[in-house]
């Protein structure tokens, strides 16, 4: 494995992380839209609209960046490496697929570990419709983390091919 391959793996893992993190924020964005999108508070309409724009634009920009990092990994690698990186060997303990699988396991595990306490707290304090939406949002983030961990081998195999 060449040193440039290590750069490729690192860039793709960063893209995968941003993609999973951004997709896990989608339920929160939808909850925010359903809670604040239809009924703008008369006292603070500007702040709510600004928050809605910031949430939406940050989601879109992170999604575009994640897709760019995943799809254009070879292009980015050519930009950040020099010719010596394509000739110098680098010894790694595993091949690409195993590294991607470990990264997906870590990303999904962190998502589960970060979401689970919040979900338990929200279920314990469930009182109104806004809390129900937060529980649904946390459950969907937890589901995304579980999918990332459960299907890590298949996803890693796909990214190793690409």
């Amino acid at each position: 494995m060449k040193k440039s391959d290590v750069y490729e793996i690192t860039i793709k893992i960063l893209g995968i992380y941003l993609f999973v993190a951004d997709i896990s924020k989608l339920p929160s964005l939808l909850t925010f839209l359903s809670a604040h999108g239809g009924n703008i508070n008369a006292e603070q309409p500007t702040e709510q609209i600004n928050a809605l724009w910031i949430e939406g634009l940050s989601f879109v920009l992170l999604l575009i960046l994640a897709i760019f990092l995943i799809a254009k990994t070879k292009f980015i690698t050519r930009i950040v490496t020099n010719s010596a990186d394509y000739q110098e060997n680098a010894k790694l303990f595993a091949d690409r697929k195993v590294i991607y699988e470990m990264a997906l396991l870590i990303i999904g595990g962190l998502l589960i570990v970060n979401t689970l306490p919040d979900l338990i707290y929200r279920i314990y304090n469930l009182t109104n419709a806004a809390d129900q939406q937060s529980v649904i949002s946390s459950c969907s983030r937890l589901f995304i983390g579980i999918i990332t961990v459960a299907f890590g081998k298949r996803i890693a195999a796909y990214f190793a091919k690409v």
Side-chain angles (χ1 to χ4, degrees):
M1 186 174 285
K2 303 291 180 198
K3 192 174 177 183
S4 61
D5 294 334
V6 175
Y7 282 106
E8 282 184 31
I9 292 169
T10 306
I11 291 167
K12 197 165 281 194
I13 288 173
L14 177 62
I16 293 168
Y17 172 74
L18 287 176
F19 184 74
V20 170
D22 198 40
I23 294 299
S24 70
K25 289 183 181 182
L26 181 62
S28 300
L29 177 64
L30 294 176
T31 301
F32 185 80
L33 278 172
S34 67
H36 299 291
N39 52 356
I40 300 290
N41 189 354
E43 297 172 3
Q44 300 175 335
T46 310
E47 287 83 6
Q48 288 179 346
I49 291 172
N50 289 343
L52 186 63
W53 274 105
I54 289 170
E55 290 288 325
L57 287 175
S58 67
F59 175 79
V60 170
L61 289 175
L62 275 178
L63 187 63
I64 290 170
L65 179 63
I67 291 171
F68 177 73
L69 286 174
I70 292 170
K72 300 294 184 182
T73 303
K74 294 207 183 278
F75 172 74
I76 297 169
T77 303
R78 277 185 275 157
I79 292 173
V80 298
T81 58
N82 55 29
S83 60
D85 294 334
Y86 287 95
Q87 297 166 357
E88 186 177 338
N89 284 332
K91 290 188 178 194
L92 294 178
F93 61 93
D95 63 338
R96 286 177 187 248
K97 183 183 173 210
V98 174
I99 293 172
Y100 288 139
E101 188 178 334
M102 289 176 9
L104 285 165
L105 192 76
I106 291 169
I107 292 167
L110 285 174
L111 189 58
I112 291 169
V113 168
N114 288 336
T115 304
L116 197 57
D118 183 53
L119 175 65
I120 293 169
Y121 176 76
R122 289 180 189 276
I123 289 173
Y124 181 73
N125 291 328
L126 190 64
T127 57
N128 57 22
D131 290 339
Q132 289 174 348
Q133 292 173 346
S134 297
V135 166
I136 292 170
S137 174
S138 293
C139 284
S140 57
R141 284 187 8 230
L142 187 66
F143 179 73
I144 292 168
I146 290 170
I147 291 294
T148 305
V149 170
F151 294 104
K153 285 187 180 190
R154 291 181 184 168
I155 298 169
Y158 171 75
F159 283 120
K161 290 179 192 175
V162 176

